[in-house]
Amino acid sequence: MPAVELPDRPPFALRARILTPLAGGGTLDEPDGVVAVDAGGSLAFVGAAATAPKELLAGAVDLRPWVVLPGLVDTHAHLPQLQNAGLGFALDLLTWLDRLTFPTERSWADPAVAERLAPAIFRAFAAAGTTTVLAYGVVYEAAMDAAFRAAEAHGIRAILGKVMMDRVTYDPTIDPSTIMERSLRESGDLISRWHGAADGRLGYAVTPRFAVSCTAELLRESASLARSTGTWWQSHVSEDPGEIEEVTRLFPEARDYVDVYERAGGLGERTVLAHAIHLSDRELARLVETRTRVAHCPSSNLFIGAGVMPLSRWLEAGVMVGLGSDVSGGPEPSLFSVMRAGAYSQMARRSLAGEKRPPLGPLDWLRLGTLDGARALGLDGSIGSIEPGKEADVIVVDPGLTAPLSGVDASEIASLEAANAALLDDPAALVSRLIFRTHPDMVRGAWVRGIRLEGPAT
C-alpha cells in the first residue's frame, strides 16, 4: 500500500494504472500512467508515464499499484432510505414502501434529521466510489434544503429532488386540497435556489414518486415544471407486477404504464425512469423513440423480488441505460456491488429464460457504471471517463484488497503475488476482481473537479 498523502485540491498529478472507458468506444488501459489535474479541476494530461512531461512526472504522487478509474455515476438512489439498507428482504414493493420506507421518510419532517444524516449519506456514497448521484429526497422542503447544503459542503456532484405525492402521501399534516399546489410551489422554490448551484455541480430533478402516488394532473404539471426550468424529471416505471396492476386500475385511459408518463409530457432526454423491468414492445419502442433514460437497479430488483430486466435486449434496442443503487431497495450504495448483482442476474436469465444474446463482460459493466451513467444524465461531455478536457471526477482503487488469499506463509507470498499480478494484467480480469470481490475499503480516494471528497479510506 503506498505510504502517501493524497492531494486534496488541484493542481496535482497521480501516477498509477489508468483504466477507463473512452467516449469514442473501447477502453484505455495504461499500466503505468499519469493523470494530471489543472488548477481549474480539469484533466490536463492522461497518458503513459513515459510520455508525460518531465516536470509533471517528477511532481506526480506515485500510487502504483493502485488504479485510477472514473468516478461512479449512480442514476437512482433514495437519500433518506440509506439507513434502512438490508431491511425488508422479499417484501413486495407496495408493502415494503408502507412498512419501511414511508415511516423513515416521515422522520425527515424535522429538518434537523436531514442536517444530521445527509453529510454521512454523501460520505457513504463517496466511500463506495460514487462521485455523481441522482437521488430522491423526501416531501419536505426544509429537509431538501438541508440535503442540498450538505451536498454543497461535501463536494459530491448531486442531482436531487423533493418527492411529489398527491394521491398517496406519508405526510398527514398537508391539506389534501392544497397538496399539489404546495408541492409544485416548493419544488419551484428549491429549483430557484439550487439548480445549477456550486458552479453547476448541483442540479435539480423534479420528482413525482411514481404513478401510484400521483394524480394525472400532478404528473402533467410536474413535467411542465421540469421543461420550463430546464431541470431533470425522474420517476419509477414497471418495477413490480403488483405496482403495474395498480397503475392499470388507476389510469384506465392509458394504454400502459409508459403511456401514463407520455400523456403527462414526461418522456424525453432529461427524464430518468428507474427499473423498467416489465416493458411491453410498445413501451420499449416509446422509450427509445423519445430518448428517455432508464436507471437499471439489479440489486434492488433481486432484493425485493421484482424481476430481472432483459438488459441485453433493452441495450440492443437502443435504450440509454445507467446503473442505480436504489438504496435501500438495493442493500448498499456500492455500484461495484450493483454490477455484481447485475452480472449474476443476467447470467441466470441466460440459463433460465434461454437468453441468446452475449453476456456483458466486466468492462461493459464498468462502462454502465461510469460513462453510460453520465450519458443518461446528459453529462458525458464533462464526466464519465478519464480523457483530457473533462472534469477530474476520478477515484483511486486498491486492487490488492480484492485478493482471495491472506495470511499465506511468507515464503509463498512472492510467487503468489507474481502470479496474481500477471493475471491482473488483463483489464477485464482486474475489473472482474473489483466487481466480484468488492472490498469495503478498496476505494482509497475520490475527487470531483479535483477536490477530494470526504469518505474514502486512506
Side-chain angles (χ1 to χ4, degrees), residues 29 38 57 130 184 217 247 250 290 292-293 297 312 322 329 337 360 407-408:
D29 176 32
D38 65 22
L57 186 60
T130 295
L184 289 166
E217 186 178 7
V247 170
L250 293 171
T290 58
T292 300
R293 279 52 167 156
C297 310
S312 295
S337 296
L360 275 66
V408 180

Side-chain angles (χ1 to χ4, degrees), residues 135-138 144 148 159-163 190 203-207 234:
Y136 291 49
V138 291
M144 292 313 300
F148 270 111
I159 303 167
L160 312 177
K162 185 191 95 70
V163 171
L190 287 164
Y204 196 88
V206 179
T207 307
Q234 62 176 344

Side-chain angles (χ1 to χ4, degrees), residues 10 14 25 29 88 177 215 239 252 265 272 275 278 281 297 323 361 383 437:
L14 304 176
D29 176 32
S177 67
T215 62
E239 178 180 4
V272 181
H275 305 300
H278 308 285
D281 290 345
C297 310
L323 292 182
I383 63 170
R437 290 190 51 80

Side-chain angles (χ1 to χ4, degrees), residues 251-257 259-260 262-263 282-283 286:
F251 296 87
E253 73 285 357
R255 286 174 285 187
D256 46 48
Y257 203 153
D259 192 45
V260 172
E262 183 159 20
R263 286 169 180 256
R282 197 207 77 84
E283 290 177 299
R286 291 307 296 148

Side-chain angles (χ1 to χ4, degrees), residues 43-104:
L43 296 167
F45 178 87
V46 179
T51 65
K54 291 182 179 180
E55 64 278 9
L56 191 65
L57 186 60
V61 180
D62 194 345
L63 299 179
R64 294 174 294 174
W66 291 357
V67 184
V68 180
L69 300 170
L72 303 179
V73 179
D74 190 337
T75 60
H76 183 65
H78 293 263
L79 294 184
Q81 294 180 27
L82 189 58
Q83 68 194 73
N84 287 346
L87 303 179
F89 175 68
L91 291 178
D92 69 88
L93 173 63
L94 299 182
T95 302
W96 176 83
L97 287 170
D98 187 59
R99 289 188 189 175
L100 288 173
T101 299
F102 290 167
T104 299

Side-chain angles (χ1 to χ4, degrees), residues 162-206:
K162 185 191 95 70
V163 171
M164 307 173 80
M165 306 165 69
D166 71 334
R167 190 196 299 273
V168 176
T169 183
Y170 51 76
D171 185 354
T173 69
I174 299 177
D175 180 354
S177 67
T178 64
I179 191 170
M180 186 180 72
E181 183 275 332
R182 173 175 169 174
S183 189
L184 289 166
R185 183 186 71 252
E186 291 178 345
S187 296
D189 290 344
L190 287 164
I191 289 168
S192 67
R193 290 193 293 273
W194 292 109
H195 186 59
D199 196 24
R201 176 168 56 80
L202 302 180
Y204 196 88
V206 179

